[in-house]
Amino acid sequence: MTQRIALVTGASRGLGKNAALKLADKGTDILITYNSQQQAALDVVAEIEGKGRKAAAIQLNVADTSGFSDFAQTVKEQLQQHWHRETFDYLVNNAGIGVYAPYVDTTEAMFDELMRIHFKGPFFLTQHLLPLLKNGGRILNVSTGLARFALPGYAAYAAMKGAMEVLTRYQAKELGERGISVNVIAPGAIETDFGGGRVRDNQALNAWIASQTTLGRAGLPDDIGDAIAALLSDDLAWMTAQRIEVSGGMFL
């Protein structure tokens, strides 16, 4: 069997890093992207290599579509250099930021930044990478539980993720002829540095989330990394166009 390769965007920290490490544990080689934290990305590469897998890191600003052609060319070169291949197997559109702002206080600049990073970016990045994605490959987009339930302060962020959930179904429909499956994972509240680390560091907020979650706690990065690795396993290769929420049962 040909060695599997996953490209995970925004994997120098947080859920992307955890997903990359969990996929490596399952025997997958990894290409990760980072925006500005080069050393952190290189540390992730070293950790993956320590698991006996190949890995490489490439700089990418998901908000800047003008760089996507050059990025795709760099991915092609990295594939040839490290794997002597023309294609990779899995694309995980994870890169993102958190912006907390009430709807009435959300500025056009905030909206545009979230749109570029969370919707326009992955929309066109995936387009540019399709020639390098293997027929029969997999795309996993990352959404949020906030696209199902509403909490004040996340209107723009959640709206972009809702758009990604709709896009996922269209991608699955149109890429099915190549045998490519496309799904979207929607994490609940997770203890990371995302959004300033509010869930991780604000104990009152963490306790309230736990009280509203069926399984009685906020999520941990391993909960999502393990889920991403499972969703990209061969056991779920027949699943496509699905939204999978991994939230421990928030607001049921």
Side-chain angles (χ1 to χ4, degrees):
M1 183 178 69
T2 304
Q3 174 61 44
R4 305 290 176 86
I5 305 167
L7 194 163
V8 184
T9 66
S12 64
R13 62 173 183 81
L15 297 184
K17 173 183 176 179
N18 193 278
L21 295 173
K22 294 292 186 177
L23 285 164
D25 286 338
K26 298 291 187 180
T28 302
D29 289 349
I30 310 291
L31 278 166
I32 69 169
T33 79
Y34 65 94
N35 183 20
S36 59
Q37 300 183 43
Q38 182 183 35
Q39 188 55 54
L42 293 176
D43 290 344
V44 175
V45 168
E47 194 169 348
I48 292 169
E49 291 174 341
K51 296 175 180 290
R53 302 264 49 93
K54 291 182 181 179
I58 308 173
Q59 196 279 331
L60 172 68
N61 179 1
V62 177
D64 182 10
T65 56
S66 68
F68 289 177
S69 291
D70 288 344
F71 173 76
Q73 179 61 33
T74 302
V75 171
K76 183 176 181 179
E77 293 168 358
Q78 290 288 317
L79 288 170
Q80 293 170 341
Q81 177 182 339
H82 295 286
W83 291 276
H84 308 293
R85 279 182 53 179
E86 301 287 334
T87 60
F88 65 96
D89 301 272
Y90 311 133
L91 171 61
V92 182
N93 281 311
N94 164 80
I97 63 169
V99 173
Y100 176 81
Y103 168 67
V104 297
D105 297 329
T106 300
T107 65
E108 192 169 348
M110 291 175 182
F111 181 97
D112 288 346
E113 182 181 35
L114 286 166
M115 183 272 293
R116 287 193 301 269
I117 293 173
H118 289 286
F119 184 52
K120 183 179 180 180
F123 187 108
F124 289 104
L125 179 64
T126 301
Q127 269 190 5
H128 279 80
L129 292 175
L130 281 176
L132 302 176
L133 184 62
K134 182 180 178 181
N135 288 344
R138 317 274 280 279
I139 298 171
L140 184 62
N141 296 319
V142 177
S143 179
T144 174
L146 293 161
R148 173 178 66 84
F149 50 79
L151 289 175
Y154 297 102
Y157 171 77
M160 303 308 162
K161 292 300 194 180
M164 282 303 299
E165 293 188 6
V166 173
L167 175 62
T168 295
R169 296 195 296 273
Y170 277 83
Q171 289 173 326
K173 184 74 169 179
E174 297 191 25
L175 300 178
E177 63 185 12
R178 288 184 51 190
I180 295 171
S181 69
V182 190
N183 295 289
V184 58
I185 183 171
I190 310 297
E191 295 181 12
T192 69
D193 61 359
F194 191 77
R198 296 179 74 243
V199 174
R200 181 192 61 197
D201 301 333
N202 185 326
Q203 292 306 305
L205 176 62
N206 191 291
W208 180 77
I209 288 169
S211 74
Q212 301 298 315
T213 301
T214 303
L215 295 181
R217 63 171 174 83
L220 301 172
D222 280 352
D223 296 322
I224 306 304
D226 284 333
I228 288 174
L231 290 171
L232 292 176
S233 72
D234 289 343
D235 294 338
L236 292 176
W238 187 237
M239 181 177 72
T240 194
Q242 300 304 302
R243 176 192 191 272
I244 301 93
E245 183 173 312
V246 184
S247 68
M250 288 186 69
F251 302 118
L252 296 183

